[in-house]
Amino acid sequence: MSRRPSERLRVPAPVLRTRVRSKRAATDQPNVTGDGASPLTARFWVLLVVTGVAAGLSGIVLMALLHAVSDRAWGSGAAEEFQAAVERADAWGRVWPLLVAGLLAGVGGYLLRRCVPGRTDVDDAIWTGDARLGVRRSSGTAVLSEVVVGLGASLGREAAPKLMGGVWGAVLAGWGGLSVEQRRLLVACGAGAGLACVYDVPLGGALFTAEVLVGTVRLPVVLPALACTATATVVAWLYLPVGPVYPGLPVPATTPSLLVWAVPAGVLIGVLATGWVRLIGFVSHHGPRRTWWRIAAPVVAFGLLGVAGLAFPQLYGNGADLAEQAFLGGGALLLFAALAVLKPLVTALCLGSGASGGLFTPTLCTGAVLGAALGGAWSALWPGTPVGTFALVGAAAMIGAGMQAPLAGLVLVLELTGTGFAIAVPLVAATLVATAVARWLDGYSIYSARLAAQPSADQTT
């Protein structure tokens, strides 16, 4: 009987090709797949390192811009203590930055679409195109995104550095004469490095590159992803702080109550994550169409956010401070429950208006407050577990299900908080269940749901 050919041949072959006692060829390795259509040549590695450096420098510039805008709008030090700065402001002081943000998003977005050609969707460029991005339009979009987030928009700050990391990958791939598949991998690594450097999450950023942007966790993807995210993160340390985004959190502990809660909570979070992703898809594909409404819609949307923030100032910004409040367990149960509903709604409102921004932190924040609310209610029946511990589990489950990337979701939460290893089992259980439920129900992610429609087979023939 003939032996089935191995599916895991090492390509290119390693330097040492002699057999070992296993009687397998040196190129036949169970944990290795070939480079495939994206050979990791010496030229590719050089361009990869340069992409990482460029992504780190772009992250510095964009975060410095965000901090300057935030401090200007909300007072000195607002970038570090955004929630406190918002609460110190009077009613008009809370509303006018959002109105300005809406005006800039509307007019700036219209001018970029009208006057500057080029693609700006890095996910779409990697997944469905030739991974080319418009440099000038992407740069303008990135700057505009950080300005509106600094002014208080309920959107994530990671979209701009992620985009610019991808842009540098596309530019350098063109200069280096790489193939289309190599360019896609380089753009994905640059985008993941952009996210990694502004959050100081090199491992999570590499898994984000592999699981979300490329769609496979294998050595020829993981190795360059790790190299690029590590390079960008080290470069970003020139300006950005070193360490977890949420430092000083209490060390959690696994309890019987938490173990039992993780599974049903994962089911519910998976269902809610599906609804969240569908909402993102709806607003992304049903945005304003007429010119005048494209300009006015962000003003209206951000104005509504400003009014809502008079009662709930936690709704302003990307949600980082709100997530930290949940991780610390510092809030009323009903407040967390209300914010678990309102935060995704105002984020969808901002995104649907046509404004540019990310969804990572708003999704993480929603999971944290949802976990805190559900865990707080559970503790009334089975006390003994801090609310902040439930928030950690909820954040990992929501981000894993929302991204359809459980490994990246788990590692990102661990790196962002610098804690959580003591509750690894409930973290894994909730994230596994939530991601599986969301995949079974639908399968879209917060990134794939926003992709532009592709022509059908009938339309392309």
Side-chain angles (χ1 to χ4, degrees):
M1 184 176 66
S2 61
R3 177 179 295 176
R4 182 172 62 88
S6 173
E7 298 174 351
R8 293 182 177 270
L9 291 178
R10 163 74 183 273
V11 180
V15 175
L16 301 177
R17 305 189 188 187
T18 56
R19 295 170 179 252
V20 295
R21 292 183 63 87
S22 69
K23 297 182 180 180
R24 288 276 187 173
T27 57
D28 187 3
Q29 302 177 24
N31 67 325
V32 174
T33 55
D35 290 357
S38 304
L40 304 181
T41 61
R43 179 184 298 179
F44 178 88
W45 281 107
V46 170
L47 295 173
L48 180 81
V49 173
V50 178
T51 298
V53 173
L57 293 174
S58 295
I60 289 175
V61 172
L62 291 168
M63 291 304 99
L65 173 63
L66 183 146
H67 294 164
V69 171
S70 184
D71 287 347
R72 185 74 174 178
W74 301 98
S76 178
E80 286 73 30
E81 298 181 0
F82 183 78
Q83 189 63 54
V86 170
E87 292 176 354
R88 286 195 301 266
D90 58 20
W92 175 241
R94 293 184 186 183
V95 172
W96 77 258
L98 273 301
L99 295 176
V100 172
L103 184 62
L104 290 174
V107 176
Y110 169 75
L111 292 176
L112 284 172
R113 288 188 296 268
R114 180 70 181 270
C115 305
V116 186
R119 170 184 281 172
T120 61
D121 190 332
V122 67
D123 300 296
D124 186 65
I126 296 168
W127 294 347
T128 63
D130 59 1
R132 297 185 185 274
L133 292 160
V135 177
R136 291 187 300 157
R137 184 166 171 179
S138 294
S139 300
T141 300
V143 168
L144 193 59
S145 175
E146 295 301 350
V147 169
V148 299
V149 172
L151 289 170
S154 181
L155 293 167
R157 66 179 183 176
E158 84 287 346
K162 173 186 165 190
L163 172 58
M164 291 311 299
V167 167
W168 280 112
V171 170
L172 291 167
W175 288 350
L178 300 185
S179 67
V180 171
E181 291 302 321
Q182 285 177 312
R183 183 165 60 243
R184 284 178 176 168
L185 179 57
L186 190 61
V187 169
C189 288
L195 179 144
C197 72
V198 297
Y199 289 126
D200 199 5
V201 288
L203 180 55
L207 283 172
F208 177 86
T209 300
E211 248 189 323
V212 176
L213 297 178
V214 180
T216 179
V217 181
R218 57 189 184 92
L219 280 180
V221 173
V222 172
L223 290 178
L226 284 168
C228 201
T229 56
T231 301
T233 302
V234 170
V235 170
W237 286 346
L238 295 172
Y239 171 76
L240 297 174
V242 179
V245 173
Y246 304 103
L249 298 182
V251 177
T254 298
T255 63
S257 172
L258 183 65
L259 279 171
V260 174
W261 176 85
V263 173
V267 174
L268 181 56
I269 291 173
V271 173
L272 296 176
T274 301
W276 166 232
V277 170
R278 278 284 168 165
L279 178 60
I280 291 302
F282 179 84
V283 300
S284 297
H285 299 294
H286 294 82
R289 296 289 185 266
R290 296 181 181 274
T291 299
W292 66 270
W293 184 230
R294 283 186 170 186
I295 296 174
V299 179
V300 174
F302 288 17
L304 291 173
L305 170 60
V307 173
L310 296 177
F312 297 97
Q314 299 90 342
L315 297 177
Y316 293 157
N318 64 358
D321 290 336
L322 179 54
E324 183 172 29
Q325 182 181 353
F327 294 150
L328 293 171
L333 176 62
L334 290 179
L335 176 63
F336 283 140
L339 292 172
V341 175
L342 293 174
K343 186 60 179 178
L345 290 179
V346 296
T347 300
L349 180 67
C350 292
L351 186 69
S353 72
S356 176
L359 291 172
F360 173 75
T361 303
T363 302
L364 178 84
C365 159
T366 299
V369 294
L370 180 60
L374 295 174
W378 177 264
S379 292
L381 302 174
W382 192 341
T385 305
V387 169
T389 303
F390 293 112
L392 282 170
V393 175
M398 178 62 81
I399 199 66
M403 295 194 309
Q404 281 294 287
L407 289 176
L410 284 166
V411 172
L412 283 166
V413 169
L414 292 174
E415 283 189 299
L416 286 168
T417 62
T419 187
F421 288 100
I423 56 169
V425 172
L427 274 175
V428 169
T431 305
L432 161 68
V433 172
T435 307
V437 168
R439 182 174 185 267
W440 174 67
L441 289 175
D442 199 4
Y444 285 105
S445 74
I446 55 176
Y447 302 108
S448 64
R450 300 178 63 183
L451 290 179
Q454 298 298 307
S456 64
D458 293 338
Q459 291 174 311
T460 56
T461 56

